[in-house]
Amino acid sequence: MSPIPTGGTNDPRSTVNRLSAENVTLAYDRRVIAEQLSVEIPDNSFTVIVGPNACGKSTLLRALSRMLRPSQGRVLLDGQVIQSMPAKKVARTLGLLPQSSVAPDGITVADLVGRGRYPHQGLLRQWSAEDERVVRESMAQTGVAELADRYVDELSGGQRQRVWIAMALAQQTPLLLLDEPTTYLDIQHQIDVLDLCAELHEEQGRTLVAVLHDLNHAARYATHLIALKGGRVVAEGAPNDIVTAALVEEVFGLACQVIDDPETGTPLVVPAARKARAGTRGAAASGVTATS
C-alpha cells in the first residue's frame, strides 16, 4: 500500500501536532470521566494509551475521534476544533476502530471493508479501480482476503476483528485510532495485528493511537506512551523513559519488577509472585514496611 500523505496545518512551518485535546472535560450525561485533561499526540508516532479499567482511556479516544463532544475544552485536528469540521473531511483524515462494532445483517466481508472507502466518494467520484485495489490490499494485509465472500455475522470473533481493522485501513487516513484492537484475538493474531500497526507507522508514516490493556505489548510497540489513572495523565513519554516499577504500582496498584525485554530491550513488567504480593499487603495492613 502506498504511503499516506501526512498533510498538516496550513502553516508548513508549524510544529503543532495534528491532533490534541486542550483542557477537556469528558462526561456521559452527568457522570464525569475526566476534567481539565490535555494530551498532545506526537505526529508520526505510535501512541498507546494505558491505564486501569474505567480510567478514561476509551473515553479519551472517543473524544479525539469526534465521537464524544467535550463538555468543556476542545479537541483540535489540524488546528481546527474537530466538531466544527465537516464529517467527511474528518473521515478522510482520521479513522477509528471502535471497541465494539456491529455489522449490518447479511453483509459480506468485501462489502464491509469497501465501506471504508465512503469518505473518498462524492457526486463526481464513484467506485473506482483504485478503491478496488485498496480494498484488496487492506484485506490481504489483515489476512482476511480468503474470507471476502463470507458473511461477517458467520465469522469468529477474531476474524470479525480483523475485518473491522481492514475496513479502517481501507479508509486510508494519515491518523488511525484503534480502541483495543487485539480484543478477541489469540496471542498469535494479537502480535500479527500489532506488527501490522508498527508497519503502518514505520513504513507508511501513519500516526497511530491505540488503547491497549497489555502493558508489555504497549511497551514493546509504542513510540509514545500515555498512562492514565482516574481521568488524568500520570506519565507520558517513550516507554524506556517512563515505565518503572513505581509507575506500574501507582497506576495499576501492582507490585512488580521491570526488566529489559530479551527480544527488544523495551521494558518488560514481571508481576511479583502471589505470595510476595500477599506478604506486601499483609505488611501494609499491619503498618510494617516489607524489606527484601
Side-chain angles (χ1 to χ4, degrees):
M1 195 175 287
S2 55
I4 305 298
T6 56
T9 55
N10 293 332
D11 180 359
R13 298 166 299 174
S14 174
T15 59
V16 175
N17 292 309
R18 301 191 69 179
L19 183 62
S20 63
E22 294 183 350
N23 299 315
V24 294
T25 295
L26 305 176
Y28 297 106
D29 295 325
R30 295 183 179 181
R31 185 166 63 92
V32 175
I33 307 298
E35 290 185 282
Q36 298 295 302
L37 177 62
S38 294
V39 295
E40 190 108 2
I41 304 302
D43 289 345
N44 307 118
S45 69
F46 185 175
T47 293
V48 175
I49 304 170
V50 297
N53 289 339
C55 72
K57 302 185 299 295
S58 294
T59 302
L60 172 59
L61 205 71
R62 284 172 58 82
L64 290 173
S65 66
R66 197 173 179 263
M67 295 286 289
L68 176 67
R69 180 187 290 270
S71 53
Q72 294 183 31
R74 59 185 190 166
V75 172
L76 298 177
L77 176 62
D78 289 339
Q80 300 179 62
V81 176
I82 197 168
Q83 266 80 23
S84 71
M85 300 171 66
K88 256 194 174 179
K89 182 176 181 181
V90 173
R92 287 193 294 267
T93 306
L94 186 152
L96 171 69
L97 176 68
Q99 190 175 109
S100 57
S101 304
V102 179
D105 291 337
I107 192 170
T108 66
V109 167
D111 286 342
L112 183 62
V113 176
R115 293 195 174 197
R117 300 303 296 163
Y118 169 75
H120 303 278
Q121 308 300 311
L123 292 175
L124 301 179
R125 185 193 181 284
Q126 299 303 315
W127 192 262
S128 67
E130 170 70 4
D131 295 321
E132 195 68 39
R133 181 188 67 79
V134 171
V135 167
R136 284 199 309 270
E137 288 189 0
S138 299
M139 290 192 295
Q141 281 190 303
T142 51
V144 298
E146 71 279 6
L147 304 175
D149 297 325
R150 295 271 301 276
Y151 292 111
V152 174
D153 54 14
E154 68 183 28
L155 303 180
S156 71
Q159 288 172 324
R160 284 197 299 270
Q161 185 74 345
R162 284 186 283 147
V163 171
W164 284 108
I165 293 171
M167 190 187 79
L169 295 186
Q171 201 170 327
Q172 276 203 314
T173 55
L175 291 98
L176 182 59
L177 279 55
L178 306 106
D179 194 356
E180 299 182 30
T182 56
T183 300
Y184 306 123
L185 302 181
D186 60 35
I187 185 64
Q188 177 188 344
H189 288 113
Q190 289 178 35
I191 298 301
D192 287 345
V193 165
L194 292 170
D195 283 348
L196 173 59
C197 290
E199 178 185 319
L200 295 172
H201 162 245
E202 294 170 4
E203 298 180 14
Q204 297 187 19
R206 298 200 201 200
T207 299
L208 271 69
V209 187
V211 168
L212 293 179
H213 275 296
D214 190 311
L215 185 54
N216 286 329
H217 283 168
R220 175 177 279 200
Y221 284 93
T223 62
H224 186 75
L225 206 59
I226 298 175
L228 292 183
K229 183 180 181 181
R232 66 182 182 88
V233 176
V234 176
E236 62 178 313
N240 281 347
D241 293 337
I242 70 167
V243 178
T244 63
L247 178 74
V248 175
E249 185 143 24
E250 178 184 359
V251 173
F252 294 95
L254 179 68
C256 69
Q257 294 184 55
V258 175
I259 63 175
D260 290 341
D261 186 320
E263 291 288 328
T264 61
T266 52
L268 181 67
V269 176
V270 182
R274 178 177 59 85
K275 290 183 178 180
R277 286 185 282 112
T280 301
R281 287 195 296 268
S286 64
V288 177
T289 302
T291 58
S292 55

